[in-house]
């Protein structure tokens, strides 16, 4: 089911039955956006998120859409990464994106933000500028409403930087690590300003744990307390969520 929300009806919200349906829908919408962009431009810049939510979506890209998009013309830019974790660590987002997306789709050009953490942070924004900006970002959402590692209270004007992870983020990401002591406490992330400059922002959310953050992101006032709410001010947003992540009653009352 599709809804148009936001002050300027600028957010297309798709509510799907479950995680599988959400992943299928998001994959279909994403490849349409990529293919449309590739009709206008020689290369499309795509910023995928890591984390648990997009895992099935990336699998579907390989299963169904390997030839639908000319992936050799897709340039991948990583959104965020842990600092203090080697790129070859199985829990790094670099490892995840390489294994789930870049390799299976034979993507030829990818920039990994973690490589810029040591004294070259601003170079990452320069790369994005030199590529003409980011065409499409695929976001997950943190339980605290973060985008990438833009934690609550992040500046709207922020660019790529190293940040301390919020306690909730450390706690939520602990499920991927063997014990609390090994969970990274710092990250490098694209900034909110750069997110707002992207051509299109697509956000996916699944499960009841994401319901409070998604509800606030879509329906509460825009606030630095909940970074994802900034997307209400972006002109081109698609949100694909499963029923567990959406407050259907509130949505219908709007
Ligand atoms: C993580 C990452 C984000 C991700 C979000 C949701 O901490 N920093 O890039 O989108 O939180 O992750 P998940 O899909 O695993 O819930």
């Amino acid at each position: 089911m599709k809804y148009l929300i936001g002050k300027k009806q600028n957010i297309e919200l798709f509510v799907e039955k479950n995680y599988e349906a959400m992943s299928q829908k998001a994959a279909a919408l994403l490849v349409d956006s990529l293919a449309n962009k590739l009709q206008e431009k020689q290369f499309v810049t795509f910023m995928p998120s890591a984390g648990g939510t997009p895992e099935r979506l990336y699998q579907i890209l390989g299963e169904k859409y390997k030839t639908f998009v000319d992936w050799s013309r897709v340039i991948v830019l990583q959104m965020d990464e842990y600092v203090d974790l080697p790129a070859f660590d199985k829990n790094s987002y670099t490892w995840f994106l390489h294994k789930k997306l870049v390799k299976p789709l034979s993507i030829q050009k990818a920039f990994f933000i973690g490589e810029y953490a040591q004294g070259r942070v601003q170079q990452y924004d320069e790369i994005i500028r030199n590529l003409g900006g980011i065409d499409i970002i695929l976001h997950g959402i943190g339980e605290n409403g973060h985008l990438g590692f833009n934690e609550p209270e992040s500046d709207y004007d922020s660019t790529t930087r190293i940040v301390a992870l919020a306690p909730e983020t450390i706690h939520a990401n602990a499920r991927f690590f063997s014990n609390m002591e090994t969970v990274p406490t710092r990250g490098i992330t694209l900034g909110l300003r750069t997110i707002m400059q992207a051509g299109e922002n697509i956000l996916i959310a699944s499960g009841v744990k994401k319901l409070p953050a998604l509800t606030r992101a879509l329906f509460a006032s825009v606030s630095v307390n909940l970074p994802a709410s900034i997307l209400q001010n972006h002109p081109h947003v698609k949100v694909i969520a499963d029923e567990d992540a959406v407050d259907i009653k509130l949505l219908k009352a709007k």
Side-chain angles (χ1 to χ4, degrees):
M1 187 79 177
K2 177 176 162 179
Y3 303 83
L4 278 181
I5 59 171
K7 281 202 192 84
K8 296 184 183 153
Q9 308 268 284
N10 51 323
I11 304 177
E12 291 178 70
L13 168 64
F14 299 83
V15 183
E16 303 296 322
K17 187 105 207 101
N18 51 31
Y19 177 65
E20 175 64 21
M22 183 280 290
S23 304
Q24 293 284 352
K25 184 73 187 177
L29 291 169
L30 172 65
V31 294
D32 270 348
S33 286
L34 290 167
N36 285 337
K37 269 280 154 210
L38 284 174
Q39 290 191 340
E40 294 165 22
K41 304 172 69 185
Q42 184 55 24
F43 290 97
V44 62
T45 46
F46 170 49
M47 179 165 277
S49 65
T53 314
E55 203 161 347
R56 177 66 185 132
L57 189 166
Y58 295 154
Q59 210 177 26
I60 294 165
L61 296 181
E63 284 169 12
K64 280 173 88 167
Y65 298 110
K66 210 164 171 180
T67 54
F68 185 87
V69 169
D70 182 354
W71 295 100
S72 69
R73 292 165 56 204
V74 175
I75 299 175
V76 159
L77 290 151
Q78 186 183 27
M79 179 151 39
D80 57 352
E81 179 57 288
Y82 297 113
V83 175
D84 313 315
L85 201 65
F88 51 81
D89 189 292
K90 302 250 180 332
N91 279 314
S92 77
Y93 292 164
T94 302
W95 183 272
F96 174 91
L97 288 176
H98 188 75
K99 195 164 157 230
K100 310 274 176 182
L101 188 77
V102 172
K103 193 158 175 267
L105 296 170
S106 308
I107 286 171
Q108 285 158 26
K109 206 163 195 168
F111 294 92
F112 291 101
I113 196 170
E115 290 173 20
Y116 298 83
Q118 306 301 332
R120 299 198 297 146
V121 170
Q122 279 146 10
Q123 267 183 35
Y124 198 67
D125 292 317
E126 265 167 51
I127 288 170
I128 293 171
R129 265 196 304 278
N130 292 339
L131 288 168
I134 310 166
D135 293 312
I136 302 164
I137 305 184
L138 177 75
H139 298 273
I141 181 170
E143 288 170 37
N144 64 357
H146 71 202
L147 291 178
F149 278 136
N150 289 284
E151 301 287 21
E153 310 307 324
S154 289
D155 198 325
Y156 288 149
D157 223 19
S158 53
T159 52
T160 298
R161 67 206 186 285
I162 292 174
V163 296
L165 303 186
E168 318 84 80
T169 302
I170 297 170
H171 179 77
N173 291 344
R175 69 190 193 277
F176 297 112
F177 294 83
S178 52
N179 61 65
M180 257 343 256
E181 284 66 49
T182 55
V183 188
T185 56
R186 295 196 303 159
I188 177 168
T189 185
L190 187 79
L192 291 178
R193 184 164 86 192
T194 323
I195 289 173
M196 291 303 279
Q197 288 166 345
E200 180 176 10
N201 279 289
I202 303 176
L203 185 147
I204 56 174
S206 167
V208 70
K209 278 191 179 165
K210 299 293 171 76
L211 186 140
L214 189 63
T215 306
R216 286 180 62 202
L218 299 178
F219 301 114
S221 316
V222 175
S223 157
V224 288
N225 292 143
L226 198 103
S229 64
I230 198 177
L231 293 177
Q232 290 180 34
N233 292 334
H234 189 274
H236 197 179
V237 180
K238 289 191 181 96
V239 175
I240 309 99
D242 64 16
E243 286 177 359
D244 286 348
V246 178
D247 187 337
I248 303 275
K249 271 198 198 137
L250 181 68
L251 178 62
K252 292 200 166 144
K254 289 273 170 190

